[in-house]
Amino acid sequence: MSESTDAAATVAFPNGFVWGVATASYQIEGAVAEHGRAPSVWDTFAHTPGKISDGATGDVACDHYHRYAEDVGLLADLGVSHYRFSLAWPRLQPSGRGPLNQAGVDFYLRLLDALQEKGVRPWVTLYHWDLPQALEDEGGWPARDTAYRFADYAVAVYERLHDRIGDWTTLNEPWCSAYLGYGNGQHAPGVRDERAALHAAHHLLLGHGLAVRGMRAAVPDSDNRIGITLNLWPVTPVTQEPADVEAARRVDGINNRAFLDPVLKGGYPADVLADVAHITDTAHVKPGDEETIAAPIDLLGVNYYSPSYVRAGAKKVGGASPWIGCDDVESVPQGFPRTDMGWEVEPDGLHRLLVRLRQDYRPLPIYVTENGMALRDTVDADGRVEDPDRIAYIDAHLRACRQAIDEGVDLRGYFVWTLTDNFEWSFGFSKRFGLVHLDAETQVRTPKSSASWYAQVARTGQLP
Ligand code: FCB
């Protein structure tokens, strides 16, 4: 067989492999002032001039709150087994404390009914960055109390919806909430304070652990599965020079191990605490916290987009590195193709990352809960959106997944980011990640060629 035939050979996934797409509440729902929803930090941030590159807000977003039935229809057309979406804390518990807002619960019940009718199973994220503004006003994630507020919210929602939803994750990418939200200020609430970012990271993880414990205690003997989604990178030094190797150790430590180790190994890595000792002491880590954070979980969600290659560099003054304590480390482009985000594309990075998780951490079912690419998609004269580069991206990353499975990784599912183009945080509507094109003015949804390709993959469980 020639090499090209080899590369094109059919790649099949195990029976029962989860095929999904993922979204997040603030990026799609809109209806920000309806039925009792209160502002979140993202409403405040998006309405602050200069924070969102195209001046957009999530006020309407994809109007999913009103058009959820159409969107569930799109999911059914995709043939996905699962739909990963997040619940909006400010819709369910507008002030961040107290009883649930029934109108908010009703919205998600309508969505769950629509999914059930189409045979698509829900996969829920309790927190995808939309902290109630009321809690930010009381100190936000750098304040310890927010962890307890999150756990209370999680338990209240779980008590209400545990019989409708089997798969739960507490947080999406606490790295972003902490380091972009409070470190370099690129995300809401826009704070630039490395110490606050590290405290926020700890309180997010504490909130996760408290929530896992609380949810299990509230509904004992449930078959439901509870986990967390982390955004992770394979970090590679560009040379074997000791300074570059050391730079890679630090970046891997603060970005990956600072989250993985407390959740899966029972405590923070000593080298990482030492690396950031000039930023904060550990007085905010109370006795018992690490045990709480390590509450057993049933699955790990991994979001992967791009690899990380680094070298030791010069200290940047006033730099805005989200790598806390690493603003002397440089990211080194490798000349891989780039997405419209500017992110380098290296599918093997996902393979290396998954294998590393198997080698360095205890066995645990893993799901790729986000992977996808931004492109400048346009609707052509015939009303079609051709996005062969997105098909190639997803195809190559799925091959990397299959390779990881072959090497013993317990990978059980894959979710494309995302269903429709949506409000891409500080980039507004300028970045298109969807399998379905969105005209944000008219709200017209047009499936791209990647949608029919992915539908074939999801239906057959193999790459064509
Ligand atoms: C991830 C986020 C998701 C989306 C993608 C592109 O970091 O979880 O909401 O913005 O990036």
Side-chain angles (χ1 to χ4, degrees):
M1 250 200 280
S2 75
E3 247 183 81
S4 59
T5 320
D6 267 338
T10 307
V11 171
F13 285 79
N15 283 338
F17 195 78
V18 161
W19 296 101
V21 295
T23 66
S25 49
Y26 188 69
Q27 294 180 274
I28 64 167
E29 285 183 3
V32 292
E34 266 178 69
H35 300 145
R37 182 189 179 280
S40 75
V41 289
W42 269 97
D43 296 271
T44 309
F45 190 74
H47 279 271
T48 307
K51 298 297 187 192
I52 310 299
S53 58
D54 63 355
T57 71
D59 286 4
V60 177
C62 309
D63 198 27
H64 171 78
Y65 188 77
H66 301 113
R67 296 171 197 257
Y68 70 90
E70 183 182 354
D71 289 341
V72 171
L74 293 168
L75 290 165
D77 292 344
L78 280 171
V80 290
S81 61
H82 288 67
Y83 173 45
R84 173 179 181 251
F85 62 99
S86 78
L87 306 177
W89 188 353
R91 197 179 290 292
L92 286 167
Q93 202 186 39
S95 67
R97 59 179 84 234
L100 295 183
N101 169 28
Q102 187 57 44
V105 175
D106 288 343
F107 166 65
Y108 292 110
L109 287 172
R110 290 196 293 279
L111 173 61
L112 290 167
D113 287 344
L115 290 169
Q116 193 174 354
E117 199 177 304
K118 298 285 188 188
V120 179
R121 292 175 61 183
W123 178 296
V124 155
T125 306
L126 280 157
Y127 183 72
H128 199 127
W129 309 349
D130 38 4
L131 182 71
Q133 181 62 43
L135 293 184
E136 179 57 30
D137 296 342
E138 294 173 26
W141 287 110
R144 185 176 176 89
D145 190 56
T146 303
Y148 292 88
R149 299 285 67 74
F150 173 71
D152 285 356
Y153 151 74
V155 170
V157 171
Y158 191 66
E159 281 175 334
R160 195 71 78 84
L161 297 177
H162 70 91
D163 55 345
R164 299 292 311 271
I165 300 163
D167 294 304
W168 294 77
T169 50
T170 53
L171 308 175
N172 175 72
E173 302 189 355
W175 180 94
C176 288
S177 306
Y179 297 177
L180 301 182
Y182 298 91
N184 80 345
Q186 192 193 325
H187 278 186
V191 175
R192 295 181 60 149
D193 176 343
E194 291 198 311
R195 187 166 185 273
L198 292 172
H199 292 194
H202 177 65
H203 297 139
L204 281 150
L205 289 173
L206 179 62
H208 155 78
L210 291 166
V212 172
R213 279 188 174 175
M215 290 160 75
R216 295 213 201 273
V219 187
D221 306 323
S222 165
D223 291 339
N224 288 349
R225 301 183 310 155
I226 306 175
I228 186 171
T229 279
L230 301 176
N231 52 321
L232 303 168
W233 298 260
V235 183
T236 312
V238 291
T239 75
Q240 285 306 310
E241 291 298 321
D244 292 343
V245 171
E246 169 67 359
R249 180 197 62 74
R250 284 165 53 211
V251 171
D252 177 55
I254 199 68
N255 289 348
N256 296 324
R257 289 184 290 115
F259 296 89
L260 286 165
D261 284 25
V263 171
L264 297 175
K265 285 188 173 170
Y268 289 105
D271 64 317
V272 175
L273 295 180
D275 289 342
V276 297
H278 64 292
I279 300 170
T280 182
D281 58 23
T282 54
H284 60 292
V285 181
K286 306 291 182 207
D289 283 4
E290 286 168 303
E291 206 186 327
T292 303
I293 295 169
I297 52 174
D298 306 310
L299 59 93
L300 177 67
V302 173
N303 293 356
Y304 172 81
Y305 290 91
S306 192
S308 186
Y309 288 86
V310 301
R311 71 168 164 234
K315 192 155 181 69
K316 288 185 275 300
V317 179
S321 173
W323 302 345
I324 306 299
C326 298
D327 60 359
D328 57 335
V329 179
E330 289 170 13
S331 180
V332 187
Q334 297 298 295
F336 295 125
R338 286 173 185 266
T339 74
D340 192 38
M341 295 295 280
W343 298 346
E344 288 203 306
V345 178
E346 193 201 11
D348 190 61
L350 177 56
H351 160 248
R352 293 198 305 276
L353 170 62
L354 293 170
V355 169
R356 185 264 177 108
L357 291 172
R358 179 179 69 75
Q359 282 167 352
D360 290 359
Y361 295 90
R362 66 181 166 78
L364 192 69
I366 296 176
Y367 293 81
V368 172
T369 39
E370 284 181 29
N371 177 241
M373 95 184 291
L375 285 171
R376 298 201 180 174
D377 303 303
T378 52
V379 184
D380 69 18
D382 301 328
R384 284 203 297 262
V385 185
E386 302 291 346
D387 57 345
D389 290 351
R390 181 173 289 106
I391 294 174
Y393 179 100
I394 299 171
D395 179 86
H397 284 80
L398 281 169
R399 285 169 197 272
C401 289
R402 180 65 247 196
Q403 193 185 345
I405 294 170
D406 291 340
E407 291 171 27
V409 176
D410 188 8
L411 180 70
R412 304 212 186 162
Y414 174 92
F415 294 77
V416 173
W417 182 267
T418 181
L419 177 59
T420 61
D421 299 332
N422 58 39
F423 178 81
E424 178 48 39
W425 307 114
S426 56
F427 297 92
F429 289 99
S430 67
K431 303 296 177 192
R432 297 182 177 276
F433 275 92
L435 294 171
V436 177
H437 181 277
L438 176 84
D439 181 328
E441 298 294 316
T442 62
Q443 290 294 335
V444 169
R445 284 122 159 96
T446 309
K448 304 175 188 177
S449 54
S450 58
S452 45
W453 177 86
Y454 191 59
Q456 197 186 338
V457 174
R459 290 216 169 85
T460 60
Q462 55 185 44
L463 298 174

